[in-house]
Amino acid sequence: MKFINSFLLENRKLFISIFVIWICASVSGVIFGSKLNNETYPDVFGMVTDSFADSPTVATMILNQADYLIKMFLIVIISSACVFFSPFIYFAAVLDAFSSGLGAALIVRTYSLKGSLMSFFIHVLPLSVSLPLYFVMFVSGLKFSLSSRSTIMHQRVFERRKQWASYIWFQLTVCICIFTVDVIKAFFCKGIIVFLN
C-alpha cells in the first residue's frame, strides 16, 4: 500500500484526473441504473436476476473477471503506445466505473435491502482493494504515453525495447495483483450469494 500511495502522490495530477472521471462515470452508472425501467429493459434486469438466482460457480466468476481484466490490460497497453491514444485510458476508466455503478444500482433495485448488503459485499468492499490497483494501472499508462517522445526517440532500439519490456512487466504485475483480489472476491461472493439466497 505504501508503494501505491507514493506512486499516486508522485503523479497527483494524473491521479486526480482519473479519479474525477471515475467518480463521475460511477455516479452516472448509479443514476442510469436507478432510472432503468423493467418493462423497457427486461433483458438487463433478467441478466442481473439470473446471475444471482442460480449462484454462478466460482470458476465462472473467475473466468469472467479474467476476460474483463485482459481487455482492460490490452486497452491500457495499446493506449500507452502513443500520446494520441492516451484518451482511451480514460475510456477504460469510464467503462470500469460505469459498469460498477450500474451493477450496484441494479442489484439494490432488484433485491432491495438484501441487495444493499449484496452490493456492499460484492462491489464496495472488493473495490476498496482493487480500485487503487486499477488507478495505478491507468495512471502508469498515462504517464508512459505522455512521457517525452523526443527523449525516447533518441534512445537506442535496445533501450526502447527494454523500457517497453519493463513497462509491460509492471502492468502485468499490477494485473496479477488485481486478479488475485478477483479470485478471493469470487470465493467470497459465492458464499455471500448462497447466504443471501
Side-chain angles (χ1 to χ4, degrees):
M1 285 304 292
K2 280 186 178 180
F3 167 75
I4 293 173
N5 289 334
S6 60
F7 179 82
L8 295 177
L9 283 172
E10 283 173 17
N11 304 281
R12 191 179 292 108
K13 290 182 180 179
L14 295 177
F15 166 64
I16 290 172
S17 68
I18 289 285
F19 179 77
V20 169
I21 285 176
W22 198 95
I23 290 292
C24 291
S26 182
V27 171
S28 298
V30 171
I31 293 170
F32 182 70
S34 65
K35 292 183 180 296
L36 276 180
N37 192 318
N38 196 2
E39 287 78 28
T40 311
Y41 298 93
D43 293 340
V44 179
F45 279 88
M47 185 176 64
V48 174
T49 307
D50 293 342
S51 296
F52 296 106
D54 296 335
S55 184
T57 63
V58 171
T60 301
M61 287 190 278
I62 290 174
L63 285 173
N64 288 339
Q65 286 299 112
D67 180 59
Y68 178 76
L69 190 56
I70 288 169
K71 288 174 182 173
M72 295 294 281
F73 172 77
L74 290 175
I75 290 173
V76 172
I77 292 298
I78 292 169
S79 301
S80 303
C82 175
V83 66
F84 298 109
F85 294 161
S86 58
F88 285 107
I89 294 176
Y90 289 105
F91 169 75
V94 167
L95 180 68
D96 183 60
F98 187 83
S99 61
S100 294
L102 178 63
L106 289 178
I107 290 170
V108 172
R109 284 191 64 187
T110 306
Y111 295 96
S112 102
L113 179 59
K114 189 193 286 187
S116 300
L117 291 170
M118 195 182 289
S119 185
F120 175 77
F121 286 113
I122 291 175
H123 284 285
V124 179
L125 206 58
L127 271 178
S128 65
V129 180
S130 63
L131 193 56
L133 293 168
Y134 274 110
F135 282 155
V136 168
M137 181 194 289
F138 297 144
V139 170
S140 59
L142 282 173
K143 184 178 180 181
F144 191 83
S145 66
L146 297 173
S147 60
S148 175
R149 292 290 124 183
S150 59
T151 304
I152 292 173
M153 295 314 276
H154 284 93
Q155 292 176 343
R156 296 177 183 176
V157 174
F158 172 76
E159 291 174 339
R160 287 200 303 249
R161 287 177 180 171
K162 188 177 178 181
Q163 188 179 35
W164 263 103
S166 61
Y167 168 69
I168 291 172
W169 177 247
F170 174 79
Q171 291 287 29
L172 278 173
T173 304
V174 175
C175 283
I176 289 168
C177 292
I178 295 172
F179 184 69
T180 303
V181 174
D182 288 338
V183 170
I184 296 169
K185 172 188 169 183
F187 284 99
F188 188 66
C189 288
K190 176 70 175 178
I192 293 296
I193 292 169
V194 170
F195 176 74
L196 290 175
N197 281 328

